[in-house]
Amino acid sequence: MAQQYRKKYEFQSEIKQLLDILVYSLYKDKEVFVRELISNAVDALNKVQFELMTSSRVEDRDEELRINISFDRDRKKLIIEDTGIGMTRKDLMENIGTIAHSGTIDFLKKLSKTKEREKVDLIGKFGVGFYSAFMAAEQVHIYTKYFTKESRAYLWKSTGDTNYTIEPTVKKKRGTRIEVFLKDDQKEFLEKHRIEAILLKYSRFVPFPIYIENEKFRVAEAIWTQPRSSLKKKDYIEFYKFFSNVQEEPETYVHLSSDAPVQFSAILFVPRSSMEDIGFFRSPPGVDLYSRKVLIQKNSRDIMPEYLRFVKGVIDSEEIPLNISRETVQNDIKINRIKKHIIKKLIAKLVQIKKDDREQYLRIWGHFNKHIKEGIISDFENKDRLSQLLIFHSSKNKEEYTDLDSYRGRMPEGQKEIYYASGPDMKAIEKNPALEAFMKKDIEVLYLDDPLDEFVLEHLREYKEKAFKMVESAEIEVKEEDEKKKSKAYMEEVKKFVTYLKDLYGEKVADVRVSKRLVDSPCMLVHPSRGPSVQMERIMKMADKEYQFSKKVFEINPDNKLIKEMVRVHKNDPKSQSLNQLAFQMLDNMMLREGMVEDVDSVVFRIQDIMLQAAQKIRTSSGKKTTEEK
Ligand code: ADP
């Protein structure tokens, strides 16, 4: 009977093109067709669910909303059936026989001009949905019955070449049954465990029950779509453990959702440990992208910025089309809006923890401070938000940490800059002679003991309108009043000594001058306030051996014992070779502190020479002593 009612149709030419590409040049992951068919079924179930709620036209109202998967192994058929909304003849022709998406023509025009390899991406971006079945099928049959009482059932058939047929058929209940006649080399899709593995991979959180050969497949609840009020902390923890396959509880989480202007829901976790702590160079991103509870991208590289790769969780939005490509995730306006919102909330959560629970914040900081700093450097839009998360030791918080707001809060009126000193560790930082003036004047200085810190502050330039300033390049004076007390005669000698050093050092320094900031130390190098930091210069040096460090200003402290002694020596014997040695060594000592010494050997030999002279002195004087003692 059916035969005479069977009508033959030709695919829209664009679909023919698409099928061609799908079958011959695409997809190494053929398994995704199962995901596509399941996700269509989910859509259909969602639609009928809506009808059930809003209209009385639905037939078989008591029919369970479900998906059935079964196999006809003799005929090599994989059968996926749903009790969803079904399709009319018109639907079949319009939805399955044509590409309904807008922009189709543009898309195909583009496609015809793209290289073979790039077609995959484009197709992915466009979303091939149902047609992906033809990657594995030599033939597909669709039995479908629309959900309203008066609807008839239809059978759609195609081998995926140029034609399809539609004929009336018998189907008692509403919904759609898709029979995939598998190609000989695709028989793996007849294995129950293979299908289960695919479901586990992509459809764990499908919101309708799935039965495989009448056995219920355990789908997990999509807790992110549930209202926050219905969830307990324990639910989130359970989900986290399941989701990330760990025993450990998360450090913290946020559950976000919005209906307007864009719909999405998300649960994001900050883990309690970091892969990168245990030697992994870079952990993979941890956020999965869902569209209506169907997994679109596992470990999505684009929904979260790189520096937030430690965050784990899910983002689900109906704005996200299935088969979305990386390009789309990056460029779609709505997705970007979601992304923006989520990042903002995540940072806000961390700021809150920093305020409320110091101990917890220190743990998070311990694991993820590198990521936060990376964010400041790479995420221009959020750098100011992220800078609220920074904490440092400081001259007034040696054991504790301070953040930038509290530092600003302690700044006395008139202090225009936020000062910092950097070094490999706290002890080294504290020995920095440039700090002396600050200590004397009781000005707080941030202590930067992570090499990244200096980059971060340089990048930020300022915090709430207060510029960051390295102590070595800050303009600070402590000694104006003391100046008068010094003897004029001595200062004359100091001046001559300065001229002597200038001549001696020549090109090695930008200038030599009497310091107004040193209190105890003999000397220091002052950095120009513009230009790269020494830190930056060291990196440039690593990249380019020829790189020349910029010249620094050498300052001496006339109150220091060593300087006094050297000034005296200079007065007595301006041509002293030993004084030359000491003077060079004095400069190199400072260069060593900064990691700027290029010829370490000559420094070592010079020190040995100085030691020799010292030893000889000791011998003569102790020789004297021994004679005296006798
Ligand atoms: P997409 O799902 O992206 O719209 P598809 O090619 O997968 O693209 O499907 C085209 C259309 O066919 C769907 O939008 C839907 O209207 C219809 N369709 C596909 N599968 C089903 C199904 N199981 N039940 C009802 N309608 C379906």
Side-chain angles (χ1 to χ4, degrees):
M1 170 208 93
Q3 200 110 6
Q4 76 191 88
Y5 293 99
R6 182 181 302 158
K7 285 199 178 150
K8 196 165 162 182
Y9 303 90
E10 211 168 295
F11 279 122
Q12 193 189 14
S13 61
E14 287 87 346
I15 290 196
K16 278 188 262 176
Q17 268 180 308
L18 193 61
L19 283 166
D20 235 38
I21 294 162
L22 273 175
V23 175
Y24 297 110
S25 53
L26 259 198
Y27 277 132
K28 42 184 204 325
D29 300 324
K30 289 191 194 280
E31 64 180 28
V32 299
F33 87 87
V34 178
R35 174 186 75 180
E36 296 293 316
L37 296 184
I38 296 280
S39 106
N40 280 348
V42 171
D43 277 349
L45 287 163
N46 274 327
K47 284 180 194 157
V48 88
Q49 199 170 37
F50 179 77
E51 292 294 339
L52 274 166
M53 288 188 300
T54 54
S55 98
S56 56
R57 298 191 301 158
V58 185
E59 198 174 22
D60 315 314
R61 295 193 72 88
D62 299 330
E63 186 72 18
E64 187 188 10
L65 296 173
R66 61 188 266 172
I67 297 167
N68 277 347
I69 300 176
S70 55
F71 312 96
D72 179 343
R73 296 196 169 89
D74 294 337
R75 292 187 171 119
K76 289 183 289 181
K77 276 198 284 188
L78 166 67
I79 301 158
I80 297 177
E81 189 169 14
D82 64 67
T83 54
I85 197 158
M87 282 176 275
T88 61
R89 173 192 280 269
K90 192 162 169 272
D91 287 340
L92 276 171
M93 293 177 64
E94 285 178 1
N95 299 338
I96 305 283
T98 39
I99 298 179
H101 305 274
S102 58
T104 309
I105 305 303
D106 283 351
F107 164 67
L108 285 157
K109 260 191 214 147
K110 227 184 198 174
L111 195 65
S112 60
K113 284 188 212 137
T114 8
K115 284 183 221 128
E116 215 52 42
R117 232 170 359 104
E118 285 153 14
K119 280 186 178 162
V120 183
D121 262 4
L122 259 185
I123 301 246
K125 181 175 174 181
F126 198 68
V128 287
F130 166 77
Y131 300 98
S132 61
F134 286 102
M135 297 188 297
E138 52 185 30
Q139 196 181 168
V140 178
H141 290 181
I142 305 173
Y143 295 84
T144 187
K145 185 170 183 289
Y146 198 54
F147 72 100
T148 53
K149 290 196 178 84
E150 62 281 8
S151 299
R152 295 234 221 125
Y154 294 96
L155 168 58
W156 179 100
K157 287 184 188 169
S158 178
T159 52
D161 44 23
T162 53
N163 305 307
Y164 64 92
T165 63
I166 297 178
E167 64 201 82
T169 190
V170 182
K171 187 179 187 304
K172 287 207 186 99
K173 302 247 157 116
R174 68 150 200 266
T176 302
R177 170 187 168 95
I178 302 200
E179 300 192 352
V180 182
F181 292 71
L182 294 161
K183 292 177 187 161
D184 275 337
D185 59 348
Q186 302 298 325
K187 280 191 280 193
E188 63 190 272
F189 298 111
L190 292 174
E191 306 288 340
K192 187 175 177 186
H193 69 259
R194 178 77 174 98
I195 297 297
E196 279 173 342
I198 298 172
L199 295 182
L200 266 176
K201 192 162 165 191
Y202 301 111
S203 315
R204 268 187 308 193
F205 298 108
V206 159
F208 303 101
I210 302 177
Y211 296 82
I212 309 181
E213 295 188 309
N214 289 322
E215 199 184 299
K216 196 163 179 175
F217 173 79
R218 281 168 88 53
V219 286
E221 292 272 289
I223 79 161
W224 61 86
T225 57
Q226 293 165 32
R228 264 166 293 207
S229 56
S230 73
L231 294 165
K232 297 195 178 66
K233 190 173 171 193
K234 156 178 148 287
D235 298 317
Y236 291 103
I237 294 174
E238 286 297 296
F239 173 64
Y240 174 74
K241 289 182 174 176
F242 168 72
F243 173 83
S244 50
N245 241 328
V246 293
Q247 283 310 303
E248 196 178 72
E249 294 188 5
E251 189 65 74
T252 187
Y253 58 85
V254 283
H255 187 172
L256 308 167
S257 55
S258 155
D259 286 320
V262 281
Q263 186 281 333
F264 80 90
S265 51
I267 299 183
L268 298 165
F269 299 93
V270 174
R272 201 163 273 223
S273 58
S274 162
M275 300 260 285
E276 292 177 27
D277 281 352
I278 51 170
F280 283 86
F281 183 57
R282 233 155 219 269
S283 50
V287 175
D288 290 353
L289 203 53
Y290 280 80
S291 167
R292 298 165 206 237
K293 300 175 198 172
V294 177
L295 180 61
I296 303 304
Q297 280 184 355
K298 193 157 180 61
N299 303 123
S300 170
R301 293 219 161 261
D302 306 295
I303 192 67
M304 281 276 143
E306 173 81 16
Y307 69 93
L308 290 175
R309 59 190 176 276
F310 64 96
V311 174
K312 298 206 183 308
V314 300
I315 297 173
D316 189 326
S317 170
E318 61 189 34
E319 317 282 358
I320 300 171
L322 288 167
N323 259 328
I324 194 167
S325 74
R326 295 194 54 185
E327 216 176 288
T328 319
V329 180
Q330 287 165 355
N331 300 329
D332 188 278
I333 292 171
K334 284 180 178 170
I335 295 176
N336 274 318
R337 209 180 264 178
I338 295 172
K339 195 168 160 179
K340 229 185 209 176
H341 181 84
I342 288 177
I343 297 173
K344 209 165 89 184
K345 292 285 183 182
L346 249 172
I347 298 174
K349 174 78 184 184
L350 295 176
V351 170
Q352 191 63 39
I353 293 176
K354 183 171 118 253
K355 224 171 105 198
D356 296 345
D357 189 340
R358 225 163 161 71
E359 215 169 282
Q360 185 180 24
Y361 188 70
L362 287 180
R363 278 202 306 268
I364 295 174
W365 180 251
H367 292 306
F368 306 114
N369 70 80
K370 295 254 187 302
H371 299 74
I372 293 168
K373 291 169 189 173
E374 190 184 318
I376 291 177
I377 294 168
S378 63
D379 185 352
F380 180 78
E381 211 179 305
N382 289 299
K383 73 178 167 62
D384 291 334
R385 270 190 201 99
L386 285 163
S387 65
Q388 298 174 70
L389 293 172
L390 289 171
I391 54 174
F392 305 94
H393 292 296
S394 81
S395 53
K396 291 188 176 168
N397 281 280
K398 292 181 187 172
E399 307 295 322
E400 287 288 309
Y401 283 94
T402 181
D403 61 12
L404 295 171
D405 280 325
S406 6
Y407 179 98
R408 278 189 99 251
R410 287 187 294 270
M411 274 166 76
E413 221 174 295
Q415 184 182 333
K416 293 198 180 65
E417 290 158 330
I418 299 175
Y419 299 107
Y420 66 89
S422 52
D425 55 57
M426 297 285 287
K427 267 194 189 148
I429 294 170
E430 291 211 277
K431 288 192 182 119
N432 186 344
L435 278 176
E436 291 170 359
F438 292 87
M439 297 306 107
K440 180 127 196 210
K441 291 188 123 179
D442 196 33
I443 296 172
E444 185 172 11
V445 175
L446 298 175
Y447 288 174
L448 277 48
D449 60 355
D450 175 359
L452 260 181
D453 289 341
E454 209 175 313
F455 284 115
V456 168
L457 297 196
E458 259 178 46
H459 187 83
L460 282 172
R461 286 164 171 269
E462 55 173 42
Y463 184 75
K464 300 189 179 164
E465 286 162 11
K466 298 283 179 190
F468 292 109
K469 195 86 175 184
M470 193 172 13
V471 286
E472 285 89 344
S473 55
E475 279 167 34
I476 183 165
E477 296 188 358
V478 279
K479 292 203 249 177
E480 298 105 83
E481 330 81 69
D482 301 351
E483 219 54 34
K484 293 163 210 127
K485 289 185 220 150
K486 271 173 223 149
S487 97
K488 249 194 173 159
Y490 174 60
M491 285 317 286
E492 278 308 310
E493 291 309 321
V494 171
K495 254 190 207 159
K496 286 182 196 156
F497 182 59
V498 166
T499 315
Y500 153 78
L501 289 179
K502 253 191 239 183
D503 289 344
L504 188 71
Y505 294 160
E507 290 295 297
K508 288 177 188 281
V509 295
D511 196 10
V512 179
R513 65 184 180 216
V514 174
S515 181
K516 289 185 173 156
R517 74 181 84 196
L518 284 171
V519 181
D520 297 317
S521 299
C523 56
M524 67 175 278
L525 288 171
V526 176
H527 299 196
S529 58
R530 304 219 160 260
S533 69
V534 178
Q535 168 108 333
M536 196 66 126
E537 290 195 279
R538 279 200 294 265
I539 286 171
M540 294 198 255
K541 184 81 191 169
M542 268 194 272
D544 173 15
K545 278 225 154 64
E546 302 298 307
Y547 177 82
Q548 299 280 317
F549 283 97
S550 66
K551 285 178 191 135
K552 312 284 184 277
V553 174
F554 189 71
E555 286 194 357
I556 58 161
N557 175 8
D559 297 337
N560 175 274
K561 263 191 196 161
L562 174 62
I563 299 296
K564 279 183 178 160
E565 209 58 54
M566 287 172 79
V567 170
R568 257 175 237 147
V569 174
H570 179 250
K571 191 182 171 197
N572 294 340
D573 182 6
K575 300 226 154 63
S576 161
Q577 281 304 311
S578 304
L579 183 64
N580 286 357
Q581 272 190 326
L582 291 179
F584 277 128
Q585 191 55 45
M586 179 164 72
L587 175 62
D588 277 347
N589 285 346
M590 294 301 106
M591 300 276 219
L592 280 168
R593 265 203 89 249
E594 310 271 18
M596 287 167 55
V597 168
E598 289 174 47
D599 183 3
V600 177
D601 281 330
S602 75
V603 177
V604 170
F605 289 135
R606 191 193 305 122
I607 292 178
Q608 283 168 351
D609 227 37
I610 295 171
M611 286 170 72
L612 172 65
Q613 293 175 38
Q616 286 168 338
K617 266 229 173 88
I618 297 167
R619 187 171 53 82
T620 18
S621 66
S622 66
K624 252 184 224 156
K625 245 184 223 157
T626 8
T627 18
E628 274 162 21
E629 272 163 22
K630 267 182 186 171

